[in-house]
Amino acid sequence: MPVKEKVGIVISNKMQKTIVVKVENRYSHPIYLKTIVKTKKYLVHDETSKCNIGDLVLVQECRPLSRRKHWILVKVISKSSLN
């Protein structure tokens, strides 16, 4: 089975070694043809705590690390311009 990877934006880094990443899924409605944006939040393991809010990151699915944390940080694609 292939490993799932997603690209998202960091929306919180308040926890130790954990970040919250928002992933957007855009698709067209089958009847009305309007673009629909669905967002989902994932808890991601960040071992070195190097991510800040607004960073664009690549995350990968892994074994369960805690009750809600099943993703690990692969790399930071771009740093936020806010800092």
Side-chain angles (χ1 to χ4, degrees):
M1 181 155 48
V3 178
K4 294 180 186 173
E5 291 186 334
K6 296 184 183 287
V7 176
I9 298 173
V10 177
I11 58 173
S12 174
N13 63 350
K14 305 254 186 232
M15 295 171 274
Q16 295 175 0
K17 297 186 179 183
T18 304
I19 57 175
V20 180
V21 175
K22 177 180 74 168
V23 175
E24 288 186 350
N25 183 20
R26 294 175 182 263
Y27 64 95
S28 179
H29 190 278
I31 296 173
Y32 302 117
L33 303 178
K34 181 178 179 178
T35 302
I36 299 171
V37 180
K38 291 234 180 188
T39 60
K40 189 162 169 107
K41 293 192 288 188
Y42 295 99
L43 292 182
V44 178
H45 184 68
D46 181 13
E47 184 65 37
T48 57
S49 299
K50 62 183 175 183
C51 291
N52 292 316
I53 296 174
D55 291 352
L56 190 67
V57 294
L58 177 68
V59 297
Q60 184 180 53
E61 193 174 34
C62 67
R63 66 178 179 83
L65 300 171
S66 67
R67 182 174 152 228
R68 290 185 55 212
K69 190 161 59 165
H70 306 113
W71 296 82
I72 56 170
L73 178 69
V74 176
K75 69 176 181 176
V76 178
I77 297 172
S78 67
K79 287 296 215 179
S80 171
S81 60
L82 301 174
N83 298 333

